[in-house]
Amino acid sequence: MIRLNNITKKYYAKKKNEAMVFESLNFEMSDSDTSLAITGRSGSGKTTLLNIISGIDISYTGEYYFKDELCSKKQNTMAEIRLKELGIITQNYNLLNDRSALKNVLLPLKNLEISSKEKNDRAIFALEQVGLENYINSLPEQLSGGERQRVAIARSLVKEPEIILADEPTGSLDEENEEKILNIFSNLISKGNKLLIVTHSDTVSNFCKKQFVVTNKDIHQVY
């Protein structure tokens, strides 16, 4: 489903000053995998790896296969994959403060060729899935941190993606809200969604069926 072959990633601060993030990294998420956690120290490259998988970062060498097809390193190609195949959850919610929960969830549907009614129905259903059907008209400032993260999860679900990529989805939440998020994830897995989660949380990594750690410019499976 997702396969990275010999990925090498460098950052250049100046022409003569480079930092190697990954060197000949290999990684695979198979069709049978339901939930994978990627862990590692801060600065190890976890978010960079997620950005490569989501196609936000195409400045690397190596091969990226998505559903057995080699992905070209073009922004429009990867944007199409994000639009149709991936749901993305960020740590800091990235909600528009002047728009309601419903309108925030509607955003990913903007470029899909479906009716306004279907878009609205999908957004409401996504909010229902995360238990926020009574908050559709609430602005982000009227919601708690846990509720904002649930809006962000609903936004990732509204396109009905098979694969959800999450970057520290519980990083700013307390234990109670973390448990609520994991219950939502468990429900999504039961419905056929697949999760790839970058996390510092032992609770979240232990929730996942497989765990990988990013270290020394590479990634290794822990269990």
Side-chain angles (χ1 to χ4, degrees), residues 14-36:
K14 296 180 180 179
K15 289 184 178 180
K16 295 182 179 180
N17 188 9
E18 68 177 32
M20 181 80 73
V21 184
F22 302 129
E23 187 172 14
S24 299
L25 176 147
N26 295 293
F27 171 76
E28 182 173 2
M29 182 177 186
S30 70
D31 291 342
S32 61
D33 290 325
T34 57
S35 54
L36 274 65

Side-chain angles (χ1 to χ4, degrees), residues 208-220:
C208 294
K209 297 299 183 183
K210 288 184 179 179
Q211 180 180 334
F212 293 79
V213 60
V214 177
T215 182
N216 296 325
K217 306 179 184 65
D218 203 352
I219 189 168
H220 307 281

Side-chain angles (χ1 to χ4, degrees), residues 121-179:
D121 289 345
R122 278 200 197 183
I124 292 174
F125 179 65
L127 285 164
E128 289 174 347
Q129 285 184 282
V130 299
L132 291 178
E133 59 271 21
N134 295 324
Y135 296 85
I136 61 174
N137 294 316
S138 298
L139 295 172
E141 65 181 15
Q142 298 171 314
L143 302 173
S144 68
E147 289 165 345
R148 291 179 194 179
Q149 187 60 296
R150 282 190 275 162
V151 173
I153 292 173
R155 184 180 57 196
S156 77
L157 298 177
V158 74
K159 295 181 297 181
E160 301 175 354
E162 183 176 3
I163 304 171
I164 297 171
L165 308 179
D167 190 0
E168 297 286 0
T170 66
S172 56
L173 304 181
D174 57 26
E175 291 181 2
E176 181 181 356
N177 278 298
E178 181 175 65
E179 184 177 352

